[in-house]
Amino acid sequence: MKIWIDITNAPHVRFFKDVIKYLISEGEDVIVTTRDFGDIHKLMNMYDLEYISIGSHGVSLYEKLKTSTERVNEMIEVVADEKIDVAVSKHSIELPRIAYGLGISSLYVLDNEHATAANKLTLPLCDRIISPNVIDLWKLMQYGADPNTITKYNGTSELMHFKNFEYNENIFNDLGLELEFDKTIFMRPEPSLASYLDADCNKSVLTPIVNELKDYANILILPRFSRQAEIFEDIENVTILEPPVDTSSIIKSSDLVIGAGGTMNREAAILQTPVISCYPGKTLSVDQYYIDKGLMYRSMDTRDIITSALTSIVNPGEKINIEHDDLFKLVVDNIYDLGR
């Protein structure tokens, strides 16, 4: 069977890495396409995954439309003659459109019900959609998704990131970090370039939080792009991490995570590291899932975040055990089912 997987964002590398390796080990022919955006290529190289890079990512709406259109044209030339059986993606704009146009069965993994433009452009075209139970089915139907194509599961997509996770308890030493305090806080800025978030690339909601907490704990920040790194580079007691790094081990070794994004917050919840979300957009259902289970705290009030952070690093609370479905099996089974 020939399978095409399109990876358009850095977290999707971690989502698909074990699926790709498993399919190859089973003798399947796997074609992986990516785009030049964020840390995708660095992570693909880190996990020793082969890929074809096609296109990039724009900043303005005009640029995003133009680059997406150009990417569709370039990708068609790559995949049209490959006789692909199944096309798989996670919030890729281009793959579902190409797969539909070429008559290729497609599997789409979704975890953001607020990505209006992306969902309208893709969901009506997909043969199979995998979505967390916590996302309202009616919301997806409003975007044009056929409810008969949707497979639900208990948990969130970040479960896939830990399929073969090996914790490096010496990660701070391996990175050569000079830590002044006993406590360490890992932070991730907002996804300023994302189409679903109206944010300024030249500032961050984390800045006043960093300025306050840097006197109480080591601050580690993993920016999404170079301009974001510049926001924090002159602040005392702040270490700016350069990707690719073992973020899972960093999260697990930290005393607290404060994130203005989504993926690493949810990874922290799964790893049972206390996490505060200050994501500046609408609360995603997948975040609410962990909030309701007591594994994530959400606030947009700077003073409240600082107070909660100081309380958490002193008293992190008890571990909370929750049950999840086997998402890896669900994805692989759906790929083979569509490829029959």
Side-chain angles (χ1 to χ4, degrees):
M1 183 166 60
K2 183 167 286 190
I3 303 151
W4 169 32
I5 297 176
D6 187 35
I7 294 176
T8 58
N9 203 0
H12 306 173
V13 179
R14 291 192 291 275
F15 182 92
F16 283 116
K17 62 181 174 63
D18 293 309
V19 171
I20 294 168
K21 291 179 179 180
Y22 174 79
L23 292 171
I24 292 174
S25 73
E26 290 294 303
E28 311 301 351
D29 188 355
V30 182
I31 299 172
V32 181
T33 53
T34 67
R35 63 177 176 175
D36 184 9
F37 177 57
D39 303 322
I40 294 175
H41 294 164
K42 292 179 181 178
L43 288 169
M44 292 292 288
N45 294 334
M46 185 175 80
Y47 291 119
D48 196 25
L49 298 171
E50 294 185 4
Y51 60 93
I52 303 169
S53 181
I54 303 173
S56 57
H57 181 278
V59 176
S60 68
L61 289 176
Y62 170 81
E63 290 174 345
K64 288 174 182 176
L65 177 60
K66 194 170 189 297
T67 54
S68 180
T69 302
E70 291 170 348
R71 190 166 190 258
V72 167
N73 290 331
E74 292 179 37
M75 290 176 83
I76 291 173
E77 297 303 318
V78 172
V79 304
D81 296 328
E82 289 290 343
K83 296 182 180 179
I84 293 166
D85 297 293
V86 183
V88 189
S89 67
K90 183 175 186 286
H91 286 281
S92 166
I93 300 292
E94 294 81 25
L95 180 142
R97 299 165 71 187
I98 296 172
Y100 182 82
L102 296 178
I104 302 169
S105 297
S106 66
L107 173 64
Y108 193 82
V109 181
L110 176 143
D111 61 6
N112 186 342
E113 74 274 28
H114 296 320
T116 302
N119 291 339
K120 283 184 176 181
L121 288 168
T122 56
L123 299 190
L125 306 178
C126 300
D127 294 288
R128 196 76 55 85
I129 299 168
I130 294 178
S131 170
N133 273 328
V134 72
I135 292 182
D136 187 0
L137 178 64
W138 293 105
K139 182 71 173 178
L140 302 185
M141 290 173 63
Q142 288 175 355
Y143 291 129
D146 179 350
N148 296 311
T149 66
I150 300 173
T151 300
K152 295 280 209 167
Y153 68 94
N154 183 37
T156 67
S157 65
E158 287 75 22
L159 294 170
M160 293 283 279
H161 302 183
F162 304 105
K163 173 67 177 174
N164 293 304
F165 172 52
E166 296 181 3
Y167 172 46
N168 178 10
E169 60 184 14
N170 296 313
I171 185 64
F172 292 163
N173 289 332
D174 290 350
L175 291 173
L177 301 182
E178 297 181 4
L179 304 178
E180 180 179 349
F181 298 96
D182 293 332
K183 302 294 183 178
T184 299
I185 301 174
F186 175 66
M187 298 190 188
R188 179 73 157 163
E190 57 268 53
S192 305
L193 297 177
S195 60
Y196 53 80
L197 184 66
D198 183 15
D200 188 341
C201 298
N202 298 304
K203 60 183 180 181
S204 173
V205 298
L206 290 178
T207 302
I209 301 168
V210 172
N211 286 331
E212 186 81 19
L213 292 179
K214 65 180 176 59
D215 296 326
Y216 300 93
N218 309 300
I219 307 296
L220 309 180
I221 296 179
L222 182 63
R224 296 171 185 271
F225 45 88
S226 57
R227 197 185 316 171
Q228 212 168 47
E230 294 170 2
I231 298 172
F232 305 99
E233 64 183 3
D234 294 326
I235 304 177
E236 183 183 359
N237 195 36
V238 169
T239 299
I240 298 175
L241 302 173
E242 284 194 24
V245 289
D246 181 0
T247 53
S248 298
S249 291
I250 291 171
I251 289 170
K252 191 171 177 63
S253 296
S254 296
D255 298 282
L256 174 67
V257 171
I258 301 178
T263 298
M264 291 187 185
N265 287 350
R266 295 187 289 274
E267 288 178 335
I270 293 170
L271 291 172
Q272 300 276 320
T273 297
V275 54
I276 299 173
S277 169
C278 54
Y279 173 65
K282 294 180 181 177
T283 303
L284 297 175
S285 295
V286 286
D287 286 344
Q288 194 63 49
Y289 174 81
Y290 292 112
I291 293 169
D292 291 344
K293 293 183 180 298
L295 291 169
M296 183 187 298
Y297 180 70
R298 176 161 166 77
S299 177
M300 289 302 299
D301 182 271
T302 300
R303 182 48 51 187
D304 179 41
I305 293 169
I306 293 167
T307 301
S308 298
L310 293 174
T311 301
S312 179
I313 60 177
V314 173
N315 182 21
E318 298 180 358
K319 302 295 184 183
I320 301 172
N321 294 320
I322 55 176
E323 301 243 340
H324 298 298
D325 290 333
D326 188 343
L327 181 55
F328 178 86
K329 184 177 185 302
L330 185 62
V331 171
V332 170
D333 285 351
N334 272 274
I335 289 173
Y336 277 108
D337 188 46
L338 282 170
R340 288 192 184 122

